[in-house]
Amino acid sequence: MIFLILSILFYSINNYFWKKVLKDSNIWFVISLRSTFTIIIGTIASYFYFPAILKTISWDQLKLVLFASVLGALGLISMVSALKNGSLRLFGLFNLLTVFLTVTYLIVFENLNVKYYLFGSFFIIVGFAFYLIQIKKEATTDNSLKQYSLLSLMVVFFSSSGLLHWYNLKASVPVMVSLLTQESTVFCIGTFILLIHPHEVIIDIVRNGFNKIRFVFIMAIIIFLAVWFGFMGLKITDPIVSSLLSLSVPIITIVFGSIFFKEKINSNMVFSLLLVSVGAFLLYLDLNYFYD
């Protein structure tokens, strides 16, 4: 449990840093630079603490980890693309939907008991719809099909990646292998897209982003700890508990948006978030039947 709590703390801080750094930085440069630092940190840690890490995983397992990592990387790209011009509050709301998708998957494919599913789903859907209605009353960049599409893709990719990583970790795949594969995949995709820009554009991006190196390095340390503790917690619990505890991440993220970026949160929005949270808790009650 302590691993997941620490992961929640670092993920919440990481979301704040993403929003802050993306305001005047190129997405692909930040993704590439941050993943580079994270890979370096993970490689150093592996050298000293897990020197025989590759001997503990088969090629078939590695392919599954890679597939989960590709989904995670696509989720990250969708996330930062939405955050570039969007708000932390809408981002936080969509993050709450990961519980709904996770439980729905387990009901369909793992025969999870549906005793509370319909009630929980009702609260989540009503709360989500009510929240969107409140946002639509404002003239913001969040009110666009592009933002909704990017955040929806983020939820699907992150939910799928989380489930696959859970299966892999339960199959005794080392946490560090999952972490390094995830970050290496992010680096490859981010760097590839950055390099297909015109040469002059790349030079300008790097020049303008040079003063962000220290900032991004701090982000790399934060996300390394967030992913590490998250995988450790996921390894000894399950995706539903992880998703439910992670409810704190979007809620804290929304609070950060209100405090640091002056994003408005009215009483109706708070009420809708409460509905979604109650719905997620009802879904959690089904967990007992899944492991009976």
Side-chain angles (χ1 to χ4, degrees), residues 67 103 222:
F67 183 47
V103 177
I222 292 172

Side-chain angles (χ1 to χ4, degrees), residues 74-117:
L74 293 175
L76 175 65
I77 291 171
S78 301
M79 182 192 87
V80 297
S81 298
L83 277 180
K84 178 71 174 179
N85 298 309
S87 67
L88 286 176
R89 64 181 184 180
L90 189 62
F91 163 71
L93 174 68
F94 271 82
N95 256 340
L96 291 169
L97 297 182
T98 56
V99 178
F100 176 71
L101 287 186
T102 299
V103 177
T104 300
Y105 171 88
L106 292 175
I107 284 175
V108 175
F109 296 101
E110 298 287 353
N111 297 317
L112 179 65
N113 190 284
V114 297
K115 182 177 181 180
Y116 299 106
Y117 177 77

